[in-house]
Amino acid sequence: MLRCIEIPLVLPNQRRIHPSMGSVFHGALMELIAPDSAALYHSLTLRPYSQTVYWDTKRQAAFWRIGTLTDDAYERLILPLQTVDTLWLQQKQYAVSLKGIQIMAQTSFDDLAQRFIKAAAAPAGVEWHCLSVMSFKQDGRYVILPDIRLFYQSLLQRWNAFSKTVTLEQDGLLEQLASHCCLTKYQLRSQTFSVNGSTIYGCDGWQRYQFFGYDML
């Protein structure tokens, strides 16, 4: 089961959340969960979860969003969070209040496959919005600008790693998907974030893509 979880945050003394604090929260999460789970996730190159912190301007509140791709990841990460109402941030030397876990969405790989394969019409395109600063790593180096091929590569890797029944492994699928997308509009800006004390360059914003090709593709 795939799940998207959000946790409202209250920071002390009028401190503000910043997307670069994602690694700080990740470190605090690894301290909270069982040692064997932390050791497991530190050893994996392809993790069954993602997480970010961000400020929602519409709701005027800070949130921690965690996505899990397996039931095991949900049990290892989210269940321990349900037992605490504060999270200690070692790097910042203060605690953050957690105001309840909200499951925003949940589905399965099978349901996703059936929903889109059996759709009455193929989608015309997509628009994605980045909640925090992002960057891709390719050949050991960070790629600042988002590349549709790297998007598809990341999605296909995770799908095939964590889907138990439906796989997407057709020859040349990655190249076909990437070559049948057309960037039509975007608004991006350069940003930085921190990982283990190192400054990483990336970007945030949004992009709109148009799809073309035969319906099944």
Side-chain angles (χ1 to χ4, degrees):
M1 186 71 70
L2 302 89
R3 296 178 178 89
C4 177
I5 298 98
E6 264 194 356
I7 305 173
L9 304 173
V10 178
L11 280 70
N13 303 322
Q14 304 300 313
R15 295 178 185 268
R16 294 186 64 83
I17 200 74
H18 190 275
S20 64
M21 293 173 64
S23 62
V24 177
F25 276 78
H26 183 266
L29 180 60
M30 292 298 105
E31 290 291 329
L32 175 66
I33 64 177
D36 63 322
S37 296
L40 170 66
Y41 292 140
H42 280 307
S43 67
L44 294 178
T45 55
L46 198 63
R47 296 170 179 169
Y49 68 91
S50 63
Q51 60 88 40
T52 188
V53 292
Y54 72 102
W55 176 262
D56 190 302
T57 54
K58 291 183 178 179
R59 291 181 282 182
Q60 287 294 293
F63 292 91
W64 188 13
R65 180 173 288 189
I66 305 173
T68 59
L69 301 181
T70 64
D71 290 333
D72 182 67
Y74 180 85
E75 293 169 2
R76 289 176 182 268
L77 298 173
I78 307 305
L79 296 188
L81 281 172
Q82 293 177 340
T83 66
V84 299
D85 55 13
T86 61
L87 188 72
W88 176 254
L89 305 182
Q90 182 65 32
Q91 295 183 39
K92 297 294 183 181
Q93 287 296 295
Y94 61 74
V96 175
S97 296
L98 309 178
K99 295 301 181 181
I101 294 174
Q102 304 169 1
I103 298 181
M104 309 299 291
Q106 60 182 351
T107 187
S108 69
F109 286 99
D110 285 349
D111 287 343
L112 281 176
Q114 291 299 316
R115 174 185 171 191
F116 289 102
I117 290 173
K118 293 185 176 181
V126 67
E127 183 173 296
W128 66 263
H129 294 253
C130 196
L131 292 179
S132 62
V133 187
M134 63 168 291
S135 186
F136 284 96
K137 204 168 187 180
Q138 185 180 39
D139 299 327
R141 295 184 178 184
Y142 284 96
V143 179
I144 295 177
L145 287 174
D147 182 322
I148 192 64
R149 187 183 185 280
L150 296 180
F151 271 109
Y152 277 128
Q153 179 175 278
S154 178
L155 290 170
L156 287 172
Q157 285 177 342
R158 280 162 175 77
W159 183 288
N160 290 327
F162 301 115
S163 172
K164 300 302 182 183
T165 53
V166 181
T167 58
L168 302 171
E169 296 178 323
Q170 296 92 326
D171 290 341
L173 179 59
L174 174 59
E175 299 304 331
Q176 287 189 65
L177 291 170
S179 63
H180 287 81
C181 289
C182 177
L183 179 63
T184 58
K185 197 172 184 179
Y186 67 90
Q187 186 173 351
L188 301 170
R189 62 177 177 176
S190 175
Q191 294 275 35
T192 61
F193 61 100
S194 178
V195 175
N196 298 326
S198 300
T199 299
I200 308 299
Y201 288 87
C203 70
D204 65 3
W206 58 271
Q207 285 185 321
R208 183 181 299 160
Y209 282 92
Q210 178 183 353
F211 300 151
F212 57 95
Y214 55 93
D215 283 354
M216 184 55 73
L217 176 65

